[in-house]
Amino acid sequence: MDKELIMQCGDELYEALSGRRTLRPFTERFSDISIEDAYHISLRMVERRVVAGERIIGKKIGVTSKVVQNMLNVHQPDFGYLTDKMAYSQGQEVPISELLIQPKAEGEIAFILKKDLIGPGITNADVLAATECVMPCFEIVDSRIEDWQIKIQDTVADNASCGLFVLGDRAVDPRKVDLTTCGMVVEKNGSIISTGAGAAALGSPVNCVTWLANRLGEFGIPLKAGEVILSGSLVPLEPVKAGDYMSVSIGGMGSASVRFV
Amino acid sequence: MNEPKGNLTQSQIEELAIHLENAELQAFEVTKITDDFPSMTYQDAFDIQWEIRRRKEARGNKIVGMKMGLTSWAKMSQMGVEHPCYGFLADYFAIPDGGEVKHDELIHPKIEAELAFVTKAPLKGPGCHIGDVLGATDFVMPAVEVIDSRYKDFKFDLKSVIADNSSSSRFITGGRMADVADLDLKNLGVVMEVNGEVVATGAGAAVLGHPAASVAMLANMLGERGEAIPAGTFIMIGAITAAVQVNKGDSFCVRYQDLGTLTGKFV
């Protein structure tokens, strides 16, 4: 795709996000769209958000489970950007009708960095050494593509289908918790709907952050001290609507909850 | 499950116990017994299981513990049943950590990551709850159950599976023991790997909301027959992860949050 078309697609996505509208999948309109094209579209979309006053505060990793990778027929994760406007706190209400289109909730572990990580050549040891703390978190994914009819290029272009995120009530030193085996329990409106453990995301959430640091290194983009990194879902996605209450607890890490209005 | 009456005669119960135990011992599939005995009740189903247990004890086998089955909502809906069930564990079911399970002795085995409770005080239902269970628990340890329904294609209804000792066949214990006070049992994570690949993950809450709830339910179900769980009983709580089919040559490793790892191999 040429630069002009990439800019145009990024602008369309930004308009769809702002106007809470969906677009036809790019993969239907442009049969030759590559994953690299899609990342450039996402950069344009994020650039529009920054121009409008949002600040980038972190990154998210998506497509980390085997089930989702097989569904999208890709064998690597993807990533998107987090802005300050997407950050919600424990207990805060999320107004779906003002912000989101077709949201789904996923339970994740958030990493808060204390040092920059600049790939390539980043190892798990580097990631752990650069992690200030880990926190339980909900990512509320959302798609600007109609009916979530996404191929990998569509979701990459759409900022990895990021909507917003809710950080929990505790921050834990990564030395104090086994990130591979820590269990996750997700409840919706008081019923347990799913459980999982750290290894559900690429074998370990640390693997996910390492992958991201190295992948971003290819674009010359660092993970920066102070950034929030969402490391990927450990449980299946759950559609949510106004009135729903979700909570996630992680063994050794605490919990996060969110109410949709 | 409150059907106090049985519809089968004692000789039918004995025949069905022989039929199902032979299928277990000789590793062959049978059709589910409710096909031939549609009028059988839960009482009949448990009577058949207890008759299989009596036969093993008469032969000199020891009963070394109890197990709960179908304790997760996912599993109940997968199997199309509406209530958990229990079974017993015989001495020859036990495989040590790092040990070998002989695939030829089984029909179509699957493995499930579980936890086991060992009691230090008796538990007797009805009315047994999580608090009673935690108070009566000596320690918790990791366990993997090898389930092997004797029914064709692993297809059954609740009565048939109860009669078949709730698909019990082998179990492996290992890792570390821990006091319940030192564990967050609801959020305790489990990662199952087969041949080095992560195949399933889960957390304790997958079992009836809390692992101890499964032991409480066992005490309450046994209470319906006037039975209790004596001190010193080993109890497996049911699957935290989905059941995964295993083939000859497969090895598995299950990692538990705060409880170490457990490994085994199918030969």
Side-chain angles (χ1 to χ4, degrees):
Chain A
M1 293 174 80
D2 65 34
K3 197 157 189 303
E4 199 177 321
L5 188 54
I6 282 168
M7 297 280 276
Q8 184 200 314
C9 292
D11 290 340
E12 282 181 29
L13 275 168
Y14 178 74
E15 303 298 338
L17 173 83
S18 316
R20 297 183 60 245
R21 283 180 291 101
T22 53
L23 303 174
R24 259 182 69 209
F26 291 119
T27 46
E28 277 180 16
R29 290 162 58 192
F30 312 107
S31 57
D32 61 339
I33 181 174
S34 70
I35 291 179
E36 298 309 303
D37 292 333
Y39 276 117
H40 288 290
I41 294 171
S42 76
L43 288 174
R44 172 62 181 171
M45 182 194 192
V46 169
E47 188 186 359
R48 290 287 305 270
R49 298 184 75 153
V50 172
V51 167
E54 292 181 48
R55 193 165 61 85
I56 291 172
I57 60 166
K59 281 113 187 166
K60 68 151 281 184
I61 308 159
V63 197
T64 51
S65 79
K66 214 159 263 163
V67 177
V68 177
Q69 289 192 357
N70 288 340
M71 193 177 82
L72 294 174
N73 195 26
V74 288
H75 300 287
Q76 58 169 313
D78 68 359
F79 66 86
Y81 292 85
L82 306 177
T83 72
D84 56 347
K85 203 177 163 189
M86 300 178 187
Y88 278 72
S89 303
Q90 172 69 24
Q92 216 178 334
E93 290 176 348
V94 171
I96 289 182
S97 60
E98 291 167 29
L99 295 171
L100 300 165
I101 305 165
Q102 39 189 349
K104 300 181 184 189
E106 33 181 56
E108 306 196 7
I109 293 171
F111 287 63
I112 316 299
L113 300 181
K114 61 183 173 188
K115 288 184 200 156
D116 292 358
L117 286 168
I118 304 167
I122 296 296
T123 65
N124 282 14
D126 297 322
V127 169
L128 288 170
T131 300
E132 170 71 22
C133 60
V134 287
M135 298 175 77
C137 150
F138 268 119
E139 181 184 354
I140 312 305
V141 293
D142 196 11
S143 183
R144 272 62 63 174
I145 305 297
E146 57 191 22
D147 302 324
W148 277 97
Q149 292 301 309
I150 52 170
K151 293 199 164 70
I152 184 68
Q153 294 91 335
D154 297 302
T155 182
V156 165
D158 187 22
N159 196 28
S161 306
C162 195
L164 50 86
F165 65 98
V166 183
L167 292 174
D169 52 6
R170 252 178 92 191
V172 176
D173 186 326
R175 287 169 175 79
K176 300 275 167 62
V177 60
D178 180 343
L179 289 163
T180 301
T181 62
C182 62
M184 172 177 284
V185 180
V186 177
E187 295 174 47
K188 181 183 189 182
N189 302 327
S191 296
I192 293 166
I193 57 163
S194 56
T195 75
L202 297 183
S204 162
V206 186
N207 292 349
C208 300
V209 180
T210 302
W211 174 86
L212 178 65
N214 289 322
R215 183 76 171 103
L216 282 173
E218 294 170 21
F219 293 85
I221 301 170
L223 298 183
K224 292 189 196 129
E227 282 192 334
V228 180
I229 312 296
L230 306 188
S231 61
S233 186
L234 305 181
V235 289
L237 309 191
E238 178 66 20
V240 289
K241 57 182 187 337
D244 285 337
Y245 172 77
M246 301 277 300
S247 80
V248 58
S249 55
I250 302 179
M253 212 180 290
S255 61
S257 62
V258 56
R259 202 156 66 86
F260 297 93
V261 293
Chain B
M1 297 181 81
N2 285 318
E3 295 179 57
K5 283 201 349 275
N7 284 334
L8 301 183
T9 65
Q10 183 57 28
S11 71
Q12 284 174 316
I13 284 170
E14 286 169 17
E15 276 167 37
L16 286 166
I18 292 169
H19 173 64
L20 288 171
E21 201 202 9
N22 282 344
E24 179 228 318
L25 295 172
Q26 294 160 32
F28 61 80
E29 289 182 336
V30 296
T31 54
K32 66 182 189 334
I33 57 173
T34 47
D35 289 352
D36 294 322
F37 297 91
S39 71
M40 69 180 274
T41 65
Y42 286 110
Q43 172 80 26
D44 292 324
F46 279 115
D47 285 348
I48 294 165
Q49 182 190 126
W50 282 81
E51 174 60 16
I52 294 173
R53 176 177 171 146
R54 192 200 61 76
R55 289 174 59 80
K56 291 195 191 300
E57 289 185 295
R59 217 178 283 125
N61 289 132
K62 279 199 164 148
I63 302 308
V64 298
M66 296 295 289
K67 64 155 268 183
M68 287 291 283
L70 306 172
T71 46
S72 74
W73 293 288
K75 193 72 190 271
M76 283 185 259
S77 84
Q78 184 193 340
M79 290 300 170
V81 302
E82 54 301 311
H83 200 278
C85 55
Y86 66 78
F88 64 84
L89 303 170
D91 48 9
Y92 67 93
F93 294 1
I95 307 280
D97 190 7
E100 295 181 341
V101 183
K102 295 194 177 69
H103 199 279
D104 288 344
E105 293 177 359
L106 306 171
I107 304 163
H108 38 210
K110 298 182 184 183
I111 56 173
E112 299 176 337
E114 307 195 4
L115 291 171
F117 284 60
V118 176
T119 59
K120 63 183 176 190
L123 285 167
K124 189 161 177 20
C128 184
H129 57 73
I130 289 177
D132 297 328
V133 173
L134 295 177
T137 299
D138 191 3
F139 60 90
V140 170
M141 66 193 297
V144 165
E145 183 176 11
V146 182
I147 54 166
D148 191 32
S149 174
R150 268 55 71 170
Y151 296 116
K152 194 170 182 321
D153 303 327
F154 244 100
K155 294 219 168 69
F156 47 68
D157 50 42
L158 189 52
K159 288 171 190 166
S160 294
V161 73
I162 289 168
D164 183 32
N165 194 20
S166 299
S167 308
S168 304
S169 74
R170 297 289 183 271
F171 67 95
I172 303 105
T173 53
R176 304 175 1 203
M177 62 192 277
D179 286 341
V180 286
D182 295 330
L183 296 173
D184 178 0
L185 285 164
K186 179 176 173 178
N187 292 306
L188 191 141
V190 171
V191 179
M192 182 189 274
E193 298 173 357
V194 173
N195 302 328
E197 203 175 322
V198 175
V199 292
T201 68
V207 175
L208 296 175
H210 191 290
S214 176
V215 179
M217 186 176 278
L218 174 64
N220 291 330
M221 289 171 80
L222 287 171
E224 288 174 20
R225 287 185 74 99
E227 303 274 349
I229 301 173
T233 304
F234 172 87
I235 302 155
M236 295 202 300
I237 60 161
I240 294 171
T241 61
V244 177
Q245 200 191 318
V246 280
N247 300 308
K248 198 186 271 199
D250 286 344
S251 60
F252 59 90
C253 172
V254 185
R255 306 161 187 248
Y256 293 83
Q257 186 174 19
D258 302 326
L259 283 173
T261 63
L262 185 166
T263 62
K265 190 170 167 51
F266 281 78
V267 296

